[in-house]
Amino acid sequence: MARTPVALSLAAAAALLLLAVSAAAGEDGKQQQQEQGQGQGYTQPAYRQPVSGLQPGYYQQSCPDMEGVVQRAVKKAIAADYTLAPALLRLFFHDFAVGGVDASVLVDAPGSERYARASKTLRGFDLIDSIKKELEEKCPRTVSCADILAAAARDASAQVGVDYWQLAYGRKDGRKSSMVDADQYVPMGRESVTDLVAFFESRGLNVFDLVVLSGAHTVGRATCAAVRPRLCGYQGTGKPDAALDARYADFLRRKCRSGGGDDAYVELDAETPTTFDNRYYQNLLHGMGLLETDQKLLPDSRTGEFVRELAAQPSLFSHQFAKSMARIGAVQVLTGNEGEVRLKCSAINGH
Ligand code: HEM
């Protein structure tokens, strides 16, 4: 998408601000973490630094229609059920959160990531399995599930209007998938900004990526269980979260009451729930961030400026979202002789 000089200068300003903010966040963050005792283990010593072993033409000879197969399947699935678009974005993020994009979230075995608390409402597994099946028929033992998931998330994003980005391939599938790791690392919506910053930085992403990627919550839904603690008796106050707009809180209380129990859903973006726009950021300006972690991005000095910037610049959001998603798909991945190409996405080979 062509970008205006205004957008460019704002992006440049954002980049400059980012450098200043990141430097400050490094110190402030550490200090706050120590003060608040919130070091929740978001460092992952076992996982590696960003690597660049991925190649754009990786399947050119071995499976030339790989991207076509994924794209057609994703397009068809989302046309039949729009909710699969947000579901695929989230699946990709959860996979990334534990050991980089290595398809560990797709393994269906006792004690695997899929059975973690954070995975309870993940969807899209069947679609990835069916794409893998088609690719196994066309190019046996060639295309990894991690690459399929990365392509599916990219295509789902493009389908809902995000700028298209070129993907490099060659990710391998992990041979480990641990519910305990997912429970420890995947953010659940109650973390502090310090914890979220630490989580992203430990994976080679920065504060701007955190704010931009949180914008995925401009589509999709959350369970009432995720929001209920904010609606009454917030942090032992006996009152709703003061950061929540009173009318919005009222709306949510009614929706969650009439809609049933904890498994009832509310839209993450109450204003334009099925449009991938920057309304998410505008909502934050009006106390209408659904998750606690969303709303906390506004008052925090490390993230607030970015929220305001993205609220003011629709095209900046779409462009930057694509860039941050591309980064998610490239950091800490397994390549070359690491990992394997699974035969079925739901099972580590030999299991
Ligand atoms: C920054 C930390 C994040 C936290 C704390 C967080 C937390 C959550 C929570 C609690 C839900 C609702 C789950 C439920 O109740 O069913 C949710 C939904 C969702 N998240 Fe996040 N998330 C984060 C980042 C991301 C990122 C980076 C992406 C994608 C790039 C993403 C994409 C989504 C989507 C699309 C949904 C809706 C899913 C659906 O409708 O099926 N989230 N997130």
Side-chain angles (χ1 to χ4, degrees), residues 10-345:
L10 281 169
L16 281 175
L17 181 63
L18 170 67
L19 288 175
V21 168
S22 303
E27 287 313 304
D28 288 348
K30 269 186 230 144
Q31 201 183 338
Q32 274 181 33
Q33 235 172 347
Q34 281 160 3
E35 280 169 10
Q36 298 166 6
Q38 284 177 333
Q40 292 186 354
Y42 278 148
T43 42
Q44 288 186 310
Y47 300 121
R48 289 95 30 77
Q49 289 304 304
V51 292
S52 56
L54 305 174
Q55 299 160 26
Y58 188 81
Y59 294 115
Q60 208 163 11
Q61 305 296 327
S62 58
C63 197
D65 194 28
M66 176 263 180
E67 287 201 306
V69 169
V70 178
Q71 195 179 53
R72 284 188 294 275
V74 167
K75 210 170 166 182
K76 193 170 159 203
I78 292 175
D81 175 7
Y82 179 86
T83 67
L84 277 169
L88 286 173
L89 298 190
R90 185 164 177 241
L91 196 58
F92 178 61
F93 172 60
H94 280 229
D95 192 33
F96 152 81
V98 190
V101 175
D102 65 349
S104 52
V105 74
L106 303 177
V107 174
D108 188 359
S112 66
E113 282 177 37
R114 216 157 147 162
Y115 294 95
R117 269 175 298 130
S119 308
K120 210 174 147 213
T121 50
L122 285 179
R123 296 167 56 234
F125 298 104
D126 292 349
L127 175 59
I128 302 293
D129 285 345
S130 75
I131 295 172
K132 173 66 174 173
K133 193 159 174 267
E134 187 177 343
L135 283 169
E136 276 303 303
E137 279 158 18
K138 288 202 155 104
C139 342
R141 297 166 185 264
T142 304
V143 183
S144 70
C145 298
D147 277 345
I148 294 173
L149 182 55
R154 188 268 314 271
D155 293 339
S157 303
Q159 192 69 22
V160 296
V162 177
D163 285 7
Y164 189 82
W165 67 93
Q166 294 296 338
L167 268 174
Y169 296 105
R171 293 166 194 80
K172 291 291 166 57
D173 300 325
R175 292 192 45 79
K176 180 187 175 203
S177 174
S178 155
M179 178 174 89
V180 175
D181 284 356
D183 273 333
Q184 183 176 2
Y185 296 123
V186 180
M188 295 280 286
R190 313 244 166 94
E191 295 75 13
S192 66
V193 175
T194 295
D195 281 340
L196 293 179
V197 169
F199 166 83
F200 274 77
E201 286 185 344
S202 69
R203 285 153 181 78
L205 301 182
N206 60 36
V207 184
F208 192 41
D209 291 311
L210 160 64
V211 181
V212 167
L213 289 166
S214 297
H217 294 164
T218 184
V219 286
R221 57 198 191 173
T223 45
C224 284
V227 68
R228 188 157 283 132
R230 298 188 72 199
L231 300 180
C232 43
Y234 180 66
Q235 293 183 344
T237 57
K239 294 181 181 154
D241 182 352
L244 203 55
D245 173 80
R247 277 176 47 203
Y248 182 49
D250 215 43
F251 164 80
L252 291 172
R253 259 192 305 273
R254 270 185 284 118
K255 199 140 188 229
C256 282
R257 209 166 28 225
S258 66
D262 281 354
D263 291 338
Y265 282 104
V266 277
E267 314 289 1
L268 280 157
D269 172 353
E271 298 288 335
T272 54
T274 56
T275 313
F276 205 95
D277 55 12
N278 67 335
R279 187 61 78 99
Y280 163 85
Y281 300 101
Q282 295 169 1
N283 288 343
L284 298 188
L285 301 183
H286 298 106
M288 289 179 66
L290 183 71
L291 304 177
E292 200 178 315
T293 37
D294 292 328
Q295 195 59 54
K296 278 178 187 164
L297 297 176
L298 180 66
D300 194 282
S301 62
R302 291 161 288 183
T303 48
E305 256 330 291
F306 295 135
V307 169
R308 282 184 278 275
E309 195 78 57
L310 289 156
Q313 282 287 313
S315 62
L316 180 64
F317 171 52
S318 173
H319 181 77
Q320 290 297 341
F321 187 79
K323 285 179 93 167
S324 294
M325 285 288 277
R327 290 182 74 181
I328 278 196
V331 293
Q332 300 180 328
V333 292
L334 304 170
T335 55
N337 293 328
E338 304 166 310
E340 63 183 18
V341 173
R342 267 182 226 149
L343 299 176
K344 280 173 75 178
C345 293

